[in-house]
Amino acid sequence: MLRAIFVIFFFQLLGEALKKFFEMLIPGPVIGLILLLITLIFLKRFKTRAINNLKSDVLNTSNYILSYLSLLFVPIGVGVVMHLSYLENNLFKVLIIVFISTVLTIGLTAFLMEKINKRINKK
Amino acid sequence: MIQKDKLYSIWVYLQAEPLFWLTLTIGSYLIGDYLYKKSKLFPLVNPVAISILIISLVLINLDISYERYFDGAKFIHFMLGPATVALAIPIYKQFKVIQKEALSISVSLVAGSLFAIISTFALCEIFKIEDQVLFSMLPRSATAPIAMGISDLIGGIPSLTAIITIITGIMGASFGTFALDFLKLKDMSARGFGLGLASHGIGTARAMSRNETAGVFAALALGLNGIATAILVPLLFKLLNIF
């Protein structure tokens, strides 16, 4: 568990450092995600026991953290409610726009993907 | 009377400490999660929305500032970064499926990302939203830190973008599945991808609570659309300035 937390923090740290260094718009944790993914794929070639142990440790800990992913959005979400007045008289209009656009985007994206997958699988 | 004074002084002491706000956050989330499970994962009973509502009511009624609350809740907030890194694991496990669906992933990524931006722009024009708010809304389908960066770049207000981005996440998580069911979409990877693309982390959390494959593709879409939005919004913005 502790080793896995170290690995995850380390990759985030690496991501944050790279972001700062190259002045990227992509957040540090997303860079950390990409680096960890590349590392995991690279390590596939080496099947020693030590690496396998560490890997399964990271897998289990990550799954545990991710099972509480929703909880992590609560503090910033409370901030949204407390600062809704920022939107002033736009609040209602913004809610309608976000609702329509978000629901349509989800439908369109998933629709396209399912249709293309079906067509490919038929071939 | 002495008793009441004592209780009051305990409260004054506790509310200044992070522990109280941490406990309240986890407790409210457990209530939200309990109701979500009781409702058989009905999307409108969103655990994030419920806990946000409970905590906000407490803060407003007790006249506590958000800064004081966040002083405690920041320990939970901090874990968002490591959790994002941890999303590498489900993506790694499904890497073969992702490679197989590379074509449909790239097509729906570009189409979905463009649609999210352009439909937001069009609706803002229809509703006559002022420019600064419009600019703050354009990147709202990207994950919050990316969206805020883009907003700053094109002349929006980053804190306003943060608010709109979170609203987008909650809307997507609460209403997205109704659109997917209405279109009778069965492919779990497609359902997850749509949720993650349009409503980033909160949509991903919702997809993950329902189905592993959907969760993986939501996480993938969250990462990819963060990058796509960061490229497309400034690009479209330049085009807009030309005309």
Side-chain angles (χ1 to χ4, degrees):
Chain A
M1 178 92 169
L2 195 60
R3 285 191 311 175
I5 290 177
F6 171 77
V7 169
I8 294 168
F9 280 24
F10 178 77
F11 274 94
Q12 187 185 348
L13 196 67
L14 213 60
E16 302 283 7
L18 284 173
K19 174 204 153 80
K20 204 84 199 153
F21 188 78
F22 292 107
E23 287 169 19
M24 286 188 275
L25 205 55
I26 308 167
V30 175
I31 300 170
L33 183 169
I34 297 167
L35 293 175
L36 178 58
L37 184 64
I38 293 170
T39 310
L40 284 169
I41 293 167
F42 179 73
L43 284 179
K44 252 185 177 168
R45 299 152 177 235
F46 305 97
K47 287 204 164 83
T48 65
R49 215 156 115 215
I51 288 178
N52 280 342
N53 273 342
L54 183 61
K55 231 173 166 176
S56 70
D57 200 9
V58 173
L59 295 192
N60 291 334
T61 306
S62 297
N63 284 337
Y64 185 73
I65 297 175
L66 289 177
S67 62
Y68 292 106
L69 187 59
S70 318
L71 165 69
L72 311 183
F73 291 100
V74 173
I76 193 169
V78 173
V80 171
V81 175
M82 301 299 280
H83 293 117
L84 273 182
S85 56
Y86 275 25
L87 285 167
E88 293 164 8
N89 39 14
N90 285 320
L91 177 63
F92 195 62
K93 285 192 258 180
V94 166
L95 288 179
I96 295 176
I97 295 170
V98 170
F99 173 78
I100 299 174
S101 170
T102 305
V103 171
L104 289 181
T105 306
I106 292 174
L108 174 88
T109 309
F111 181 80
L112 263 178
M113 189 154 165
E114 179 161 323
K115 292 299 160 214
I116 298 171
N117 278 343
K118 260 189 190 153
R119 185 158 283 188
I120 290 171
N121 288 337
K122 260 186 193 164
K123 277 180 187 168
Chain B
M1 216 47 207
I2 298 162
Q3 277 281 307
K4 212 177 168 188
D5 278 357
K6 182 124 195 185
L7 275 178
Y8 184 71
S9 71
I10 291 176
W11 161 243
V12 168
Y13 167 70
L14 284 180
Q15 58 94 26
E17 298 290 318
L19 178 67
F20 183 82
W21 305 112
L22 263 175
T23 315
L24 175 71
T25 307
I26 296 175
S28 314
Y29 180 78
L30 287 174
I31 295 174
D33 198 45
Y34 172 79
L35 295 174
Y36 181 51
K37 281 181 180 135
K38 257 274 136 100
S39 74
K40 302 209 171 68
L41 309 188
F42 187 65
L44 286 184
V45 190
N46 186 290
V48 185
I50 295 171
S51 33
I52 290 171
L53 209 68
I54 297 174
I55 297 163
S56 305
L57 283 175
V58 171
L59 296 185
I60 292 166
N61 278 311
L62 297 177
D63 203 20
I64 302 286
S65 74
Y66 177 62
E67 287 66 31
R68 164 142 308 160
Y69 164 75
F70 194 75
D71 208 37
K74 68 182 174 201
F75 299 104
I76 292 173
H77 178 73
F78 168 79
M79 283 307 290
L80 258 183
T84 306
V85 177
L87 285 172
I89 275 61
I91 294 178
Y92 168 71
K93 281 202 273 187
Q94 302 274 339
F95 204 65
K96 279 213 177 88
V97 190
I98 292 169
Q99 277 177 314
K100 211 184 88 190
E101 298 187 4
L103 177 71
S104 60
I105 287 172
S106 17
V107 174
S108 20
L109 168 69
V110 177
S113 192
L114 276 174
F115 184 81
I117 301 163
I118 294 171
S119 64
T120 304
F121 177 77
L123 286 164
C124 281
E125 291 290 302
I126 294 170
F127 283 90
K128 301 203 168 37
I129 298 281
E130 60 222 75
D131 277 358
Q132 207 170 35
V133 180
L134 162 69
F135 298 155
S136 310
M137 286 186 78
L138 288 180
R140 63 180 183 80
S141 275
T143 180
I146 298 185
M148 289 167 77
I150 302 169
S151 165
D152 198 27
L153 206 69
I154 61 173
I157 312 163
S159 55
L160 194 61
T161 302
I163 294 175
I164 295 164
T165 306
I166 301 293
I167 295 176
T168 300
I170 294 177
M171 288 271 191
S174 310
F175 301 105
T177 26
F178 292 115
L180 298 170
D181 290 340
F182 178 76
L183 293 169
K184 298 196 174 68
L185 301 176
K186 301 255 158 49
D187 186 342
M188 276 305 160
S189 58
R191 291 176 67 105
F193 199 81
L195 274 175
L197 181 134
S199 50
H200 47 89
I202 305 179
T204 301
R206 153 90 190 154
M208 248 171 206
S209 75
R210 287 295 297 270
N211 179 285
E212 204 197 315
T213 313
V216 171
F217 277 83
L220 186 69
L222 152 96
L224 291 176
N225 193 33
I227 298 165
T229 309
I231 297 169
L232 289 173
V233 169
L235 204 71
L236 290 171
F237 193 74
K238 268 187 197 146
L239 282 175
L240 195 76
N241 279 345
I242 293 169
F243 296 114

